PDB file of all heavy atoms in Angstrom:
ATOM      1  N   GLN A 159    -125.648 -78.107 188.295  1.00  0.00           N
ATOM      2  CA  GLN A 159    -126.685 -77.108 188.510  1.00  0.00           C
ATOM      3  C   GLN A 159    -127.390 -77.349 189.849  1.00  0.00           C
ATOM      4  O   GLN A 159    -127.802 -78.478 190.147  1.00  0.00           O
ATOM      5  CB  GLN A 159    -127.713 -77.158 187.376  1.00  0.00           C
ATOM      6  CG  GLN A 159    -127.186 -76.662 186.040  1.00  0.00           C
ATOM      7  CD  GLN A 159    -126.754 -75.210 186.099  1.00  0.00           C
ATOM      8  OE1 GLN A 159    -127.429 -74.366 186.686  1.00  0.00           O
ATOM      9  NE2 GLN A 159    -125.608 -74.913 185.505  1.00  0.00           N
ATOM     10  N   PRO A 160    -127.533 -76.318 190.696  1.00  0.00           N
ATOM     11  CA  PRO A 160    -128.119 -76.494 192.028  1.00  0.00           C
ATOM     12  C   PRO A 160    -129.504 -77.153 192.025  1.00  0.00           C
ATOM     13  O   PRO A 160    -129.819 -77.914 192.945  1.00  0.00           O
ATOM     14  CB  PRO A 160    -128.200 -75.064 192.566  1.00  0.00           C
ATOM     15  CG  PRO A 160    -127.098 -74.338 191.867  1.00  0.00           C
ATOM     16  CD  PRO A 160    -127.046 -74.943 190.490  1.00  0.00           C
ATOM     17  N   PHE A 161    -130.327 -76.891 190.993  1.00  0.00           N
ATOM     18  CA  PHE A 161    -131.685 -77.455 190.993  1.00  0.00           C
ATOM     19  C   PHE A 161    -131.684 -78.980 190.888  1.00  0.00           C
ATOM     20  O   PHE A 161    -132.665 -79.641 191.256  1.00  0.00           O
ATOM     21  CB  PHE A 161    -132.522 -76.841 189.848  1.00  0.00           C
ATOM     22  CG  PHE A 161    -132.159 -77.325 188.471  1.00  0.00           C
ATOM     23  CD1 PHE A 161    -132.741 -78.478 187.943  1.00  0.00           C
ATOM     24  CD2 PHE A 161    -131.243 -76.625 187.691  1.00  0.00           C
ATOM     25  CE1 PHE A 161    -132.418 -78.915 186.664  1.00  0.00           C
ATOM     26  CE2 PHE A 161    -130.904 -77.068 186.421  1.00  0.00           C
ATOM     27  CZ  PHE A 161    -131.486 -78.214 185.907  1.00  0.00           C
ATOM     28  N   LEU A 162    -130.568 -79.562 190.398  1.00  0.00           N
ATOM     29  CA  LEU A 162    -130.489 -81.017 190.267  1.00  0.00           C
ATOM     30  C   LEU A 162    -130.297 -81.718 191.620  1.00  0.00           C
ATOM     31  O   LEU A 162    -130.615 -82.891 191.761  1.00  0.00           O
ATOM     32  CB  LEU A 162    -129.341 -81.405 189.333  1.00  0.00           C
ATOM     33  CG  LEU A 162    -129.542 -81.114 187.849  1.00  0.00           C
ATOM     34  CD1 LEU A 162    -128.240 -81.341 187.080  1.00  0.00           C
ATOM     35  CD2 LEU A 162    -130.658 -81.991 187.278  1.00  0.00           C
ATOM     36  N   ILE A 163    -129.766 -80.996 192.609  1.00  0.00           N
ATOM     37  CA  ILE A 163    -129.474 -81.616 193.909  1.00  0.00           C
ATOM     38  C   ILE A 163    -130.754 -81.993 194.660  1.00  0.00           C
ATOM     39  O   ILE A 163    -130.936 -83.166 195.017  1.00  0.00           O
ATOM     40  CB  ILE A 163    -128.548 -80.715 194.747  1.00  0.00           C
ATOM     41  CG1 ILE A 163    -127.187 -80.599 194.041  1.00  0.00           C
ATOM     42  CG2 ILE A 163    -128.367 -81.273 196.165  1.00  0.00           C
ATOM     43  CD1 ILE A 163    -126.243 -79.595 194.650  1.00  0.00           C
ATOM     44  N   PRO A 164    -131.688 -81.048 194.921  1.00  0.00           N
ATOM     45  CA  PRO A 164    -132.927 -81.465 195.593  1.00  0.00           C
ATOM     46  C   PRO A 164    -133.769 -82.414 194.746  1.00  0.00           C
ATOM     47  O   PRO A 164    -134.561 -83.204 195.287  1.00  0.00           O
ATOM     48  CB  PRO A 164    -133.663 -80.143 195.848  1.00  0.00           C
ATOM     49  CG  PRO A 164    -133.033 -79.142 194.959  1.00  0.00           C
ATOM     50  CD  PRO A 164    -131.628 -79.580 194.744  1.00  0.00           C
ATOM     51  N   ALA A 165    -133.572 -82.380 193.414  1.00  0.00           N
ATOM     52  CA  ALA A 165    -134.349 -83.276 192.540  1.00  0.00           C
ATOM     53  C   ALA A 165    -133.843 -84.711 192.594  1.00  0.00           C
ATOM     54  O   ALA A 165    -134.591 -85.643 192.286  1.00  0.00           O
ATOM     55  CB  ALA A 165    -134.293 -82.762 191.103  1.00  0.00           C
ATOM     56  N   SER A 166    -132.576 -84.901 192.985  1.00  0.00           N
ATOM     57  CA  SER A 166    -131.992 -86.240 192.904  1.00  0.00           C
ATOM     58  C   SER A 166    -131.493 -86.808 194.233  1.00  0.00           C
ATOM     59  O   SER A 166    -131.469 -88.028 194.415  1.00  0.00           O
ATOM     60  CB  SER A 166    -130.827 -86.234 191.909  1.00  0.00           C
ATOM     61  OG  SER A 166    -129.829 -85.313 192.309  1.00  0.00           O
ATOM     62  N   VAL A 167    -131.092 -85.952 195.160  1.00  0.00           N
ATOM     63  CA  VAL A 167    -130.466 -86.439 196.402  1.00  0.00           C
ATOM     64  C   VAL A 167    -131.522 -86.753 197.461  1.00  0.00           C
ATOM     65  O   VAL A 167    -132.328 -85.898 197.821  1.00  0.00           O
ATOM     66  CB  VAL A 167    -129.449 -85.407 196.942  1.00  0.00           C
ATOM     67  CG1 VAL A 167    -128.895 -85.860 198.291  1.00  0.00           C
ATOM     68  CG2 VAL A 167    -128.315 -85.206 195.944  1.00  0.00           C
ATOM     69  N   ASN A 168    -131.493 -87.992 197.956  1.00  0.00           N
ATOM     70  CA  ASN A 168    -132.422 -88.415 199.019  1.00  0.00           C
ATOM     71  C   ASN A 168    -131.909 -88.048 200.405  1.00  0.00           C
ATOM     72  O   ASN A 168    -132.671 -87.605 201.262  1.00  0.00           O
ATOM     73  CB  ASN A 168    -132.649 -89.928 198.972  1.00  0.00           C
ATOM     74  CG  ASN A 168    -133.318 -90.393 197.697  1.00  0.00           C
ATOM     75  OD1 ASN A 168    -133.761 -89.566 196.889  1.00  0.00           O
ATOM     76  ND2 ASN A 168    -133.398 -91.693 197.500  1.00  0.00           N
ATOM     77  N   ALA A 169    -130.626 -88.279 200.634  1.00  0.00           N
ATOM     78  CA  ALA A 169    -130.033 -87.997 201.946  1.00  0.00           C
ATOM     79  C   ALA A 169    -128.516 -87.919 201.813  1.00  0.00           C
ATOM     80  O   ALA A 169    -127.926 -88.537 200.926  1.00  0.00           O
ATOM     81  CB  ALA A 169    -130.416 -89.078 202.955  1.00  0.00           C
ATOM     82  N   ILE A 170    -127.907 -87.145 202.718  1.00  0.00           N
ATOM     83  CA  ILE A 170    -126.445 -87.046 202.783  1.00  0.00           C
ATOM     84  C   ILE A 170    -126.018 -87.388 204.204  1.00  0.00           C
ATOM     85  O   ILE A 170    -126.496 -86.784 205.168  1.00  0.00           O
ATOM     86  CB  ILE A 170    -125.945 -85.641 202.397  1.00  0.00           C
ATOM     87  CG1 ILE A 170    -126.401 -85.272 200.980  1.00  0.00           C
ATOM     88  CG2 ILE A 170    -124.426 -85.579 202.490  1.00  0.00           C
ATOM     89  CD1 ILE A 170    -126.143 -83.818 200.607  1.00  0.00           C
ATOM     90  N   ILE A 171    -125.122 -88.357 204.308  1.00  0.00           N
ATOM     91  CA  ILE A 171    -124.646 -88.824 205.613  1.00  0.00           C
ATOM     92  C   ILE A 171    -123.210 -88.356 205.804  1.00  0.00           C
ATOM     93  O   ILE A 171    -122.378 -88.529 204.918  1.00  0.00           O
ATOM     94  CB  ILE A 171    -124.691 -90.364 205.685  1.00  0.00           C
ATOM     95  CG1 ILE A 171    -126.098 -90.885 205.374  1.00  0.00           C
ATOM     96  CG2 ILE A 171    -124.204 -90.866 207.041  1.00  0.00           C
ATOM     97  CD1 ILE A 171    -126.139 -92.374 205.034  1.00  0.00           C
ATOM     98  N   ALA A 172    -122.918 -87.742 206.945  1.00  0.00           N
ATOM     99  CA  ALA A 172    -121.531 -87.444 207.322  1.00  0.00           C
ATOM    100  C   ALA A 172    -121.209 -88.284 208.548  1.00  0.00           C
ATOM    101  O   ALA A 172    -122.060 -88.458 209.429  1.00  0.00           O
ATOM    102  CB  ALA A 172    -121.359 -85.964 207.629  1.00  0.00           C
ATOM    103  N   GLN A 173    -120.001 -88.811 208.611  1.00  0.00           N
ATOM    104  CA  GLN A 173    -119.678 -89.696 209.727  1.00  0.00           C
ATOM    105  C   GLN A 173    -118.216 -89.603 210.133  1.00  0.00           C
ATOM    106  O   GLN A 173    -117.372 -89.147 209.385  1.00  0.00           O
ATOM    107  CB  GLN A 173    -120.023 -91.138 209.363  1.00  0.00           C
ATOM    108  CG  GLN A 173    -119.257 -91.708 208.187  1.00  0.00           C
ATOM    109  CD  GLN A 173    -119.753 -93.102 207.818  1.00  0.00           C
ATOM    110  OE1 GLN A 173    -120.746 -93.241 207.109  1.00  0.00           O
ATOM    111  NE2 GLN A 173    -119.065 -94.124 208.304  1.00  0.00           N
ATOM    112  N   ARG A 174    -117.976 -90.030 211.363  1.00  0.00           N
ATOM    113  CA  ARG A 174    -116.632 -90.123 211.917  1.00  0.00           C
ATOM    114  C   ARG A 174    -116.550 -91.385 212.779  1.00  0.00           C
ATOM    115  O   ARG A 174    -117.562 -91.851 213.303  1.00  0.00           O
ATOM    116  CB  ARG A 174    -116.293 -88.926 212.817  1.00  0.00           C
ATOM    117  CG  ARG A 174    -116.292 -87.586 212.140  1.00  0.00           C
ATOM    118  CD  ARG A 174    -115.110 -87.404 211.198  1.00  0.00           C
ATOM    119  NE  ARG A 174    -115.016 -86.023 210.762  1.00  0.00           N
ATOM    120  CZ  ARG A 174    -115.739 -85.493 209.792  1.00  0.00           C
ATOM    121  NH1 ARG A 174    -116.631 -86.236 209.148  1.00  0.00           N
ATOM    122  NH2 ARG A 174    -115.587 -84.224 209.455  1.00  0.00           N
ATOM    123  N   LEU A 175    -115.339 -91.895 212.932  1.00  0.00           N
ATOM    124  CA  LEU A 175    -115.071 -92.953 213.897  1.00  0.00           C
ATOM    125  C   LEU A 175    -114.241 -92.353 215.025  1.00  0.00           C
ATOM    126  O   LEU A 175    -113.191 -91.762 214.768  1.00  0.00           O
ATOM    127  CB  LEU A 175    -114.298 -94.104 213.245  1.00  0.00           C
ATOM    128  CG  LEU A 175    -115.126 -95.196 212.565  1.00  0.00           C
ATOM    129  CD1 LEU A 175    -114.207 -96.136 211.793  1.00  0.00           C
ATOM    130  CD2 LEU A 175    -115.945 -95.987 213.574  1.00  0.00           C
ATOM    131  N   ILE A 176    -114.720 -92.470 216.258  1.00  0.00           N
ATOM    132  CA  ILE A 176    -113.947 -91.972 217.395  1.00  0.00           C
ATOM    133  C   ILE A 176    -113.735 -93.107 218.386  1.00  0.00           C
ATOM    134  O   ILE A 176    -114.443 -94.121 218.360  1.00  0.00           O
ATOM    135  CB  ILE A 176    -114.626 -90.767 218.084  1.00  0.00           C
ATOM    136  CG1 ILE A 176    -115.983 -91.160 218.681  1.00  0.00           C
ATOM    137  CG2 ILE A 176    -114.774 -89.611 217.124  1.00  0.00           C
ATOM    138  CD1 ILE A 176    -116.574 -90.068 219.551  1.00  0.00           C
ATOM    139  N   LYS A 177    -112.765 -92.927 219.261  1.00  0.00           N
ATOM    140  CA  LYS A 177    -112.395 -93.995 220.182  1.00  0.00           C
ATOM    141  C   LYS A 177    -113.479 -94.227 221.240  1.00  0.00           C
ATOM    142  O   LYS A 177    -114.069 -93.278 221.751  1.00  0.00           O
ATOM    143  CB  LYS A 177    -111.056 -93.672 220.842  1.00  0.00           C
ATOM    144  CG  LYS A 177    -109.882 -93.780 219.874  1.00  0.00           C
ATOM    145  CD  LYS A 177    -108.560 -93.521 220.532  1.00  0.00           C
ATOM    146  CE  LYS A 177    -108.344 -92.053 220.797  1.00  0.00           C
ATOM    147  NZ  LYS A 177    -106.978 -91.772 221.281  1.00  0.00           N
ATOM    148  N   ARG A 178    -113.693 -95.503 221.537  1.00  0.00           N
ATOM    149  CA  ARG A 178    -114.692 -95.913 222.522  1.00  0.00           C
ATOM    150  C   ARG A 178    -114.002 -96.182 223.857  1.00  0.00           C
ATOM    151  O   ARG A 178    -112.929 -96.785 223.905  1.00  0.00           O
ATOM    152  CB  ARG A 178    -115.392 -97.177 222.034  1.00  0.00           C
ATOM    153  CG  ARG A 178    -116.567 -97.611 222.888  1.00  0.00           C
ATOM    154  CD  ARG A 178    -117.206 -98.839 222.282  1.00  0.00           C
ATOM    155  NE  ARG A 178    -118.374 -99.253 223.032  1.00  0.00           N
ATOM    156  CZ  ARG A 178    -119.097-100.334 222.750  1.00  0.00           C
ATOM    157  NH1 ARG A 178    -118.764-101.099 221.725  1.00  0.00           N
ATOM    158  NH2 ARG A 178    -120.151-100.646 223.479  1.00  0.00           N
ATOM    159  N   LEU A 179    -114.617 -95.742 224.943  1.00  0.00           N
ATOM    160  CA  LEU A 179    -114.034 -95.924 226.266  1.00  0.00           C
ATOM    161  C   LEU A 179    -113.948 -97.396 226.643  1.00  0.00           C
ATOM    162  O   LEU A 179    -114.867 -98.175 226.392  1.00  0.00           O
ATOM    163  CB  LEU A 179    -114.862 -95.187 227.316  1.00  0.00           C
ATOM    164  CG  LEU A 179    -114.710 -93.654 227.354  1.00  0.00           C
ATOM    165  CD1 LEU A 179    -115.802 -93.042 228.214  1.00  0.00           C
ATOM    166  CD2 LEU A 179    -113.336 -93.244 227.868  1.00  0.00           C
ATOM    167  N   CYS A 180    -112.825 -97.759 227.241  1.00  0.00           N
ATOM    168  CA  CYS A 180    -112.634 -99.115 227.756  1.00  0.00           C
ATOM    169  C   CYS A 180    -113.446 -99.261 229.054  1.00  0.00           C
ATOM    170  O   CYS A 180    -113.887 -98.265 229.650  1.00  0.00           O
ATOM    171  CB  CYS A 180    -111.144 -99.348 228.005  1.00  0.00           C
ATOM    172  SG  CYS A 180    -110.745-100.969 228.694  1.00  0.00           S
ATOM    173  N   SER A 181    -113.621-100.489 229.509  1.00  0.00           N
ATOM    174  CA  SER A 181    -114.373-100.744 230.745  1.00  0.00           C
ATOM    175  C   SER A 181    -113.674-100.174 231.979  1.00  0.00           C
ATOM    176  O   SER A 181    -114.283-100.061 233.048  1.00  0.00           O
ATOM    177  CB  SER A 181    -114.595-102.245 230.925  1.00  0.00           C
ATOM    178  OG  SER A 181    -113.358-102.938 230.905  1.00  0.00           O
ATOM    179  N   CYS A 182    -112.406 -99.746 231.828  1.00  0.00           N
ATOM    180  CA  CYS A 182    -111.676 -99.151 232.957  1.00  0.00           C
ATOM    181  C   CYS A 182    -111.967 -97.651 233.095  1.00  0.00           C
ATOM    182  O   CYS A 182    -111.293 -96.951 233.852  1.00  0.00           O
ATOM    183  CB  CYS A 182    -110.172 -99.386 232.800  1.00  0.00           C
ATOM    184  SG  CYS A 182    -109.429 -98.573 231.348  1.00  0.00           S
ATOM    185  N   LYS A 183    -112.936 -97.154 232.364  1.00  0.00           N
ATOM    186  CA  LYS A 183    -113.271 -95.723 232.375  1.00  0.00           C
ATOM    187  C   LYS A 183    -113.546 -95.216 233.788  1.00  0.00           C
ATOM    188  O   LYS A 183    -114.010 -95.948 234.659  1.00  0.00           O
ATOM    189  CB  LYS A 183    -114.469 -95.448 231.461  1.00  0.00           C
ATOM    190  CG  LYS A 183    -115.737 -96.194 231.812  1.00  0.00           C
ATOM    191  CD  LYS A 183    -116.835 -95.879 230.809  1.00  0.00           C
ATOM    192  CE  LYS A 183    -118.131 -96.643 231.093  1.00  0.00           C
ATOM    193  NZ  LYS A 183    -118.077 -98.015 230.600  1.00  0.00           N
ATOM    194  N   GLN A 184    -113.298 -93.922 233.994  1.00  0.00           N
ATOM    195  CA  GLN A 184    -113.452 -93.307 235.307  1.00  0.00           C
ATOM    196  C   GLN A 184    -114.405 -92.113 235.228  1.00  0.00           C
ATOM    197  O   GLN A 184    -114.347 -91.334 234.269  1.00  0.00           O
ATOM    198  CB  GLN A 184    -112.098 -92.839 235.838  1.00  0.00           C
ATOM    199  CG  GLN A 184    -111.085 -93.962 236.009  1.00  0.00           C
ATOM    200  CD  GLN A 184    -109.710 -93.441 236.361  1.00  0.00           C
ATOM    201  OE1 GLN A 184    -109.459 -92.240 236.358  1.00  0.00           O
ATOM    202  NE2 GLN A 184    -108.790 -94.359 236.667  1.00  0.00           N
ATOM    203  N   LYS A 185    -115.245 -91.989 236.231  1.00  0.00           N
ATOM    204  CA  LYS A 185    -116.215 -90.888 236.263  1.00  0.00           C
ATOM    205  C   LYS A 185    -115.488 -89.551 236.447  1.00  0.00           C
ATOM    206  O   LYS A 185    -114.523 -89.450 237.187  1.00  0.00           O
ATOM    207  CB  LYS A 185    -117.202 -91.114 237.399  1.00  0.00           C
ATOM    208  CG  LYS A 185    -118.413 -90.188 237.372  1.00  0.00           C
ATOM    209  CD  LYS A 185    -119.353 -90.445 238.538  1.00  0.00           C
ATOM    210  CE  LYS A 185    -120.061 -91.760 238.426  1.00  0.00           C
ATOM    211  NZ  LYS A 185    -121.111 -91.913 239.475  1.00  0.00           N
ATOM    212  N   ILE A 186    -115.976 -88.524 235.739  1.00  0.00           N
ATOM    213  CA  ILE A 186    -115.387 -87.187 235.836  1.00  0.00           C
ATOM    214  C   ILE A 186    -116.210 -86.345 236.809  1.00  0.00           C
ATOM    215  O   ILE A 186    -117.447 -86.377 236.777  1.00  0.00           O
ATOM    216  CB  ILE A 186    -115.384 -86.463 234.478  1.00  0.00           C
ATOM    217  CG1 ILE A 186    -114.762 -87.319 233.388  1.00  0.00           C
ATOM    218  CG2 ILE A 186    -114.661 -85.138 234.560  1.00  0.00           C
ATOM    219  CD1 ILE A 186    -114.791 -86.676 232.023  1.00  0.00           C
ATOM    220  N   SER A 187    -115.532 -85.585 237.625  1.00  0.00           N
ATOM    221  CA  SER A 187    -116.238 -84.657 238.511  1.00  0.00           C
ATOM    222  C   SER A 187    -116.683 -83.436 237.712  1.00  0.00           C
ATOM    223  O   SER A 187    -116.126 -83.129 236.653  1.00  0.00           O
ATOM    224  CB  SER A 187    -115.323 -84.219 239.654  1.00  0.00           C
ATOM    225  OG  SER A 187    -114.227 -83.469 239.139  1.00  0.00           O
ATOM    226  N   MET A 188    -117.680 -82.735 238.202  1.00  0.00           N
ATOM    227  CA  MET A 188    -118.193 -81.554 237.500  1.00  0.00           C
ATOM    228  C   MET A 188    -117.120 -80.481 237.358  1.00  0.00           C
ATOM    229  O   MET A 188    -117.077 -79.759 236.360  1.00  0.00           O
ATOM    230  CB  MET A 188    -119.399 -80.986 238.258  1.00  0.00           C
ATOM    231  CG  MET A 188    -120.632 -81.898 238.224  1.00  0.00           C
ATOM    232  SD  MET A 188    -121.166 -82.271 236.541  1.00  0.00           S
ATOM    233  CE  MET A 188    -121.702 -80.665 236.003  1.00  0.00           C
ATOM    234  N   SER A 189    -116.224 -80.390 238.353  1.00  0.00           N
ATOM    235  CA  SER A 189    -115.157 -79.382 238.270  1.00  0.00           C
ATOM    236  C   SER A 189    -114.183 -79.694 237.125  1.00  0.00           C
ATOM    237  O   SER A 189    -113.633 -78.788 236.509  1.00  0.00           O
ATOM    238  CB  SER A 189    -114.402 -79.309 239.597  1.00  0.00           C
ATOM    239  OG  SER A 189    -113.816 -80.567 239.909  1.00  0.00           O
ATOM    240  N   GLU A 190    -113.990 -81.001 236.836  1.00  0.00           N
ATOM    241  CA  GLU A 190    -113.107 -81.400 235.738  1.00  0.00           C
ATOM    242  C   GLU A 190    -113.711 -81.049 234.384  1.00  0.00           C
ATOM    243  O   GLU A 190    -112.998 -80.726 233.435  1.00  0.00           O
ATOM    244  CB  GLU A 190    -112.834 -82.905 235.789  1.00  0.00           C
ATOM    245  CG  GLU A 190    -111.836 -83.339 236.837  1.00  0.00           C
ATOM    246  CD  GLU A 190    -111.571 -84.835 236.775  1.00  0.00           C
ATOM    247  OE1 GLU A 190    -112.325 -85.595 237.413  1.00  0.00           O
ATOM    248  OE2 GLU A 190    -110.621 -85.233 236.075  1.00  0.00           O
ATOM    249  N   ILE A 191    -115.034 -81.160 234.287  1.00  0.00           N
ATOM    250  CA  ILE A 191    -115.704 -80.848 233.012  1.00  0.00           C
ATOM    251  C   ILE A 191    -115.558 -79.362 232.699  1.00  0.00           C
ATOM    252  O   ILE A 191    -115.233 -78.979 231.573  1.00  0.00           O
ATOM    253  CB  ILE A 191    -117.200 -81.237 233.073  1.00  0.00           C
ATOM    254  CG1 ILE A 191    -117.349 -82.745 233.259  1.00  0.00           C
ATOM    255  CG2 ILE A 191    -117.927 -80.795 231.796  1.00  0.00           C
ATOM    256  CD1 ILE A 191    -118.756 -83.198 233.542  1.00  0.00           C
ATOM    257  N   GLY A 192    -115.817 -78.530 233.691  1.00  0.00           N
ATOM    258  CA  GLY A 192    -115.652 -77.090 233.503  1.00  0.00           C
ATOM    259  C   GLY A 192    -116.912 -76.426 232.969  1.00  0.00           C
ATOM    260  O   GLY A 192    -117.671 -77.024 232.193  1.00  0.00           O
ATOM    261  N   SER A 193    -117.120 -75.193 233.380  1.00  0.00           N
ATOM    262  CA  SER A 193    -118.335 -74.465 232.990  1.00  0.00           C
ATOM    263  C   SER A 193    -118.353 -74.151 231.497  1.00  0.00           C
ATOM    264  O   SER A 193    -119.411 -74.122 230.864  1.00  0.00           O
ATOM    265  CB  SER A 193    -118.453 -73.170 233.802  1.00  0.00           C
ATOM    266  OG  SER A 193    -117.288 -72.384 233.631  1.00  0.00           O
ATOM    267  N   ALA A 194    -117.172 -73.914 230.908  1.00  0.00           N
ATOM    268  CA  ALA A 194    -117.105 -73.581 229.475  1.00  0.00           C
ATOM    269  C   ALA A 194    -117.563 -74.759 228.623  1.00  0.00           C
ATOM    270  O   ALA A 194    -118.318 -74.584 227.648  1.00  0.00           O
ATOM    271  CB  ALA A 194    -115.683 -73.182 229.098  1.00  0.00           C
ATOM    272  N   THR A 195    -117.122 -75.979 228.982  1.00  0.00           N
ATOM    273  CA  THR A 195    -117.523 -77.172 228.224  1.00  0.00           C
ATOM    274  C   THR A 195    -119.018 -77.422 228.365  1.00  0.00           C
ATOM    275  O   THR A 195    -119.701 -77.748 227.385  1.00  0.00           O
ATOM    276  CB  THR A 195    -116.738 -78.408 228.710  1.00  0.00           C
ATOM    277  OG1 THR A 195    -115.340 -78.163 228.546  1.00  0.00           O
ATOM    278  CG2 THR A 195    -117.125 -79.648 227.910  1.00  0.00           C
ATOM    279  N   LEU A 196    -119.542 -77.266 229.589  1.00  0.00           N
ATOM    280  CA  LEU A 196    -120.985 -77.449 229.792  1.00  0.00           C
ATOM    281  C   LEU A 196    -121.787 -76.425 228.996  1.00  0.00           C
ATOM    282  O   LEU A 196    -122.843 -76.744 228.444  1.00  0.00           O
ATOM    283  CB  LEU A 196    -121.328 -77.333 231.282  1.00  0.00           C
ATOM    284  CG  LEU A 196    -121.085 -78.583 232.138  1.00  0.00           C
ATOM    285  CD1 LEU A 196    -121.338 -78.285 233.606  1.00  0.00           C
ATOM    286  CD2 LEU A 196    -121.971 -79.748 231.682  1.00  0.00           C
ATOM    287  N   ALA A 197    -121.268 -75.205 228.907  1.00  0.00           N
ATOM    288  CA  ALA A 197    -121.934 -74.163 228.114  1.00  0.00           C
ATOM    289  C   ALA A 197    -121.932 -74.546 226.633  1.00  0.00           C
ATOM    290  O   ALA A 197    -122.945 -74.358 225.931  1.00  0.00           O
ATOM    291  CB  ALA A 197    -121.242 -72.821 228.322  1.00  0.00           C
ATOM    292  N   ASN A 198    -120.814 -75.098 226.138  1.00  0.00           N
ATOM    293  CA  ASN A 198    -120.734 -75.553 224.745  1.00  0.00           C
ATOM    294  C   ASN A 198    -121.759 -76.644 224.466  1.00  0.00           C
ATOM    295  O   ASN A 198    -122.400 -76.668 223.405  1.00  0.00           O
ATOM    296  CB  ASN A 198    -119.334 -76.095 224.432  1.00  0.00           C
ATOM    297  CG  ASN A 198    -118.306 -74.993 224.271  1.00  0.00           C
ATOM    298  OD1 ASN A 198    -118.660 -73.854 223.979  1.00  0.00           O
ATOM    299  ND2 ASN A 198    -117.040 -75.322 224.464  1.00  0.00           N
ATOM    300  N   ILE A 199    -121.903 -77.566 225.414  1.00  0.00           N
ATOM    301  CA  ILE A 199    -122.853 -78.672 225.256  1.00  0.00           C
ATOM    302  C   ILE A 199    -124.276 -78.124 225.158  1.00  0.00           C
ATOM    303  O   ILE A 199    -125.044 -78.500 224.271  1.00  0.00           O
ATOM    304  CB  ILE A 199    -122.729 -79.657 226.442  1.00  0.00           C
ATOM    305  CG1 ILE A 199    -121.385 -80.404 226.373  1.00  0.00           C
ATOM    306  CG2 ILE A 199    -123.887 -80.650 226.452  1.00  0.00           C
ATOM    307  CD1 ILE A 199    -121.054 -81.194 227.620  1.00  0.00           C
ATOM    308  N   LYS A 200    -124.627 -77.220 226.077  1.00  0.00           N
ATOM    309  CA  LYS A 200    -125.984 -76.661 226.084  1.00  0.00           C
ATOM    310  C   LYS A 200    -126.253 -75.829 224.824  1.00  0.00           C
ATOM    311  O   LYS A 200    -127.348 -75.878 224.261  1.00  0.00           O
ATOM    312  CB  LYS A 200    -126.190 -75.824 227.347  1.00  0.00           C
ATOM    313  CG  LYS A 200    -126.251 -76.677 228.610  1.00  0.00           C
ATOM    314  CD  LYS A 200    -126.329 -75.841 229.881  1.00  0.00           C
ATOM    315  CE  LYS A 200    -126.364 -76.739 231.113  1.00  0.00           C
ATOM    316  NZ  LYS A 200    -126.392 -75.967 232.375  1.00  0.00           N
ATOM    317  N   ASN A 201    -125.250 -75.085 224.369  1.00  0.00           N
ATOM    318  CA  ASN A 201    -125.402 -74.297 223.139  1.00  0.00           C
ATOM    319  C   ASN A 201    -125.624 -75.199 221.931  1.00  0.00           C
ATOM    320  O   ASN A 201    -126.443 -74.892 221.054  1.00  0.00           O
ATOM    321  CB  ASN A 201    -124.166 -73.425 222.904  1.00  0.00           C
ATOM    322  CG  ASN A 201    -124.072 -72.275 223.884  1.00  0.00           C
ATOM    323  OD1 ASN A 201    -125.084 -71.872 224.473  1.00  0.00           O
ATOM    324  ND2 ASN A 201    -122.873 -71.746 224.080  1.00  0.00           N
ATOM    325  N   ALA A 202    -124.903 -76.320 221.886  1.00  0.00           N
ATOM    326  CA  ALA A 202    -125.038 -77.266 220.767  1.00  0.00           C
ATOM    327  C   ALA A 202    -126.437 -77.854 220.726  1.00  0.00           C
ATOM    328  O   ALA A 202    -127.041 -77.995 219.654  1.00  0.00           O
ATOM    329  CB  ALA A 202    -124.007 -78.379 220.885  1.00  0.00           C
TER     330      ALA A 202
END
């Protein structure tokens, strides 16, 4: 029953593990990022 959820649930955690950059990482130029990706970031 939906009413039991807010009565009992304190918090819900969602998680993922993603790869971490090595120390050999390289800086990206703004042209490589692209305007569409920057727009997605700002929208998020």
Side-chain angles (χ1 to χ4, degrees):
Q159 290 299 317
F161 73 87
L162 288 171
I163 295 172
S166 59
V167 175
N168 296 352
I170 302 171
I171 304 163
Q173 62 185 83
R174 298 289 190 279
L175 273 171
I176 63 171
K177 289 182 284 187
R178 187 178 183 183
L179 285 167
C180 178
S181 56
C182 64
K183 59 182 178 280
Q184 299 173 353
K185 191 181 291 188
I186 308 177
S187 65
M188 292 303 293
S189 60
E190 283 183 273
I191 297 171
S193 56
T195 301
L196 279 175
N198 285 337
I199 291 169
K200 290 175 181 178
N201 289 338

